Amino acid sequence: MKLLSPPKPTLWRKTIEVSPGSARAHNSLGNSYYVQSNYGETLEEFNKALAVAPGFSDAIMNAGLACKHLGRIGEARILYQRGDRNRSRQPVALL
């Protein structure tokens, strides 16, 4: 099974120009940078997503992953724990 690659960062940058307060757009731009192994920019975008939506579990876990790749293991562990706590409080979709 071939996985689809995420949209190029350009799409998400344009989305952020239109909706700078979109945590999802910042998270998606971070994902695009992650695929390119650009972990510094990745973490920056995840942090921007968290500035808008501090409880956004995906961005928290993604920031932890970026920290791990940057060798910031202590920060990664804290973020993973925080993200895990947030996920346990979010409703689960039944469909």
Side-chain angles (χ1 to χ4, degrees):
M1 177 168 150
K2 182 179 179 188
L3 296 176
L4 298 175
S5 59
K8 302 266 187 223
T10 306
L11 170 70
W12 295 114
R13 281 192 218 105
K14 290 194 181 291
T15 302
I16 291 167
E17 284 177 22
V18 175
S19 300
S22 171
R24 188 161 303 284
H26 283 289
N27 188 65
S28 295
L29 179 55
N31 287 336
S32 294
Y33 287 141
Y34 180 85
V35 170
Q36 298 174 348
S37 301
N38 187 346
Y39 304 119
E41 298 240 10
T42 295
L43 183 58
E44 185 177 320
E45 290 304 321
F46 294 148
N47 284 335
K48 287 178 183 177
L50 292 170
V52 175
F56 187 9
S57 295
D58 289 347
I60 296 168
M61 298 299 276
N62 289 340
L65 189 59
C67 283
K68 178 184 162 233
H69 282 286
L70 292 168
R72 295 158 61 172
I73 304 303
E75 284 179 70
R77 184 176 297 125
I78 291 167
L79 286 162
Y80 290 147
Q81 290 169 346
R82 179 177 153 207
D84 192 44
R85 280 193 306 272
N86 278 13
R87 281 192 175 163
S88 67
R89 284 183 275 194
Q90 293 179 352
V92 176
L94 298 176
L95 299 176

